[in-house]
């Protein structure tokens, strides 16, 4: 039984660089979500896919952020021209119903 | 505006006793609630859920109670174990798959 996996687990990048994160959901789950979590806060919703369709985006997702789920399986989250304020834990979750199951997260540090 | 609030940042409980974690919400349209446990450097782990059509759901040592009139839910852990020491998040959704999370309560179970 494999859960949600995310890669990389940690990423350190310099301000202005682009980064891309990958999420592999639980195989039978058709819904995939991205959240961001900063210190002392709960996860904040960024975007949601049902199969390959991106159905909702938070206003937190500025135009520097883009997410894809091209074949309805894995998903990528790209951040262009990173800023120090992008430093956070990026969490991916998947579901087949109302309960969402999270991966271990990617910790991004922008220096 | 914080639609989901966990007003106690931390809680200490003796091993074997009951832990009660509280969560308040402001949106009466929320219809599904989740509780998660999070260890450092890991993603949140799903614990238990409750629909707004119920007032209680039980799973082993974990019970969630929902009081819709008070817009309040609570997670009871009985008996508490040292391995339960973690940060606990409640989350709520309004007929969609987007969840709003509280800021978490750090539980410490003392041996």
């Amino acid at each position: 039984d494999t859960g949600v996996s995310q890669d990389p687990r940690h990423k350190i990048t310099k301000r202005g660089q682009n980064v891309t994160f990958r999420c592999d959901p639980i195989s039978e789950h058709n819904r995939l979500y991205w959240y961001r979590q900063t210190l002392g806060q709960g996860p904040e919703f960024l975007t949601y896919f049902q199969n390959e369709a991106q159905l909702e985006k938070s206003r937190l997702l500025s135009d520097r952020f883009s997410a894809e789920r091209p074949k309805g399986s894995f998903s990528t989250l790209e951040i262009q021209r990173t800023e120090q304020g992008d430093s956070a834990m990026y969490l991916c979750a998947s579901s087949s119903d109302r309960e969402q199951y999270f991966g271990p997260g990617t910790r991004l540090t922008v220096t | 505006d914080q639609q989901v609030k966990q007003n106690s940042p931390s809680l200490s409980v003796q091993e074997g006793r009951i832990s009660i974690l509280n969560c308040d919400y402001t949106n009466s349209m929320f219809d599904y609630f989740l509780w998660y446990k999070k260890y450092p450097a890991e993603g949140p782990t799903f614990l238990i859920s409750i629909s707004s059509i119920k007032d209680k759901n039980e799973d082993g040592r974990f019970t969630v109670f929902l009081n819709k009139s008070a817009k309040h839910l609570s997670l009871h852990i009985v008996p508490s174990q040292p391995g339960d020491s973690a940060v606990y998040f409640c989350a709520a959704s309004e007929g969609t798959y987007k969840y709003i999370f509280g800021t978490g309560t750090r539980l410490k179970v003392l041996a």
Side-chain angles (χ1 to χ4, degrees), chain A residues 47-64:
Chain A
T47 190
Y48 148 55
F49 291 85
Q50 181 158 316
N51 300 313
E52 65 274 9
Q54 188 173 19
L55 296 187
E56 190 167 349
K57 290 169 62 171
S58 163
R59 64 178 183 273
L60 291 174
L61 215 64
S62 76
D63 55 6
R64 295 185 299 105

Side-chain angles (χ1 to χ4, degrees), chain A residues 9 31 33 35 37 40-43 45 48 50 56 89 91 95 97-105, chain B residues 2 31-32 34 36 38 41-44 46 49 89 93-104:
Chain A
R9 294 291 305 273
R31 298 186 185 96
Y33 315 81
Y35 288 82
Q37 186 175 20
Q41 301 297 316
F45 172 82
Y48 148 55
Q50 181 158 316
E56 190 167 349
M89 173 77 86
L91 294 161
S95 76
D97 202 328
R98 300 294 292 268
E99 288 83 12
Q100 297 182 10
Y101 296 86
F102 282 85
Chain B
Q2 192 109 26
D31 69 339
Y32 212 83
L34 308 177
Y36 288 89
K38 187 179 184 303
E42 293 184 14
F46 170 72
S49 63
F89 292 96
S93 77
E94 180 190 335
T96 70
Y97 299 94
K98 180 177 81 173
Y99 280 88
I100 296 174
F101 282 74
T103 52

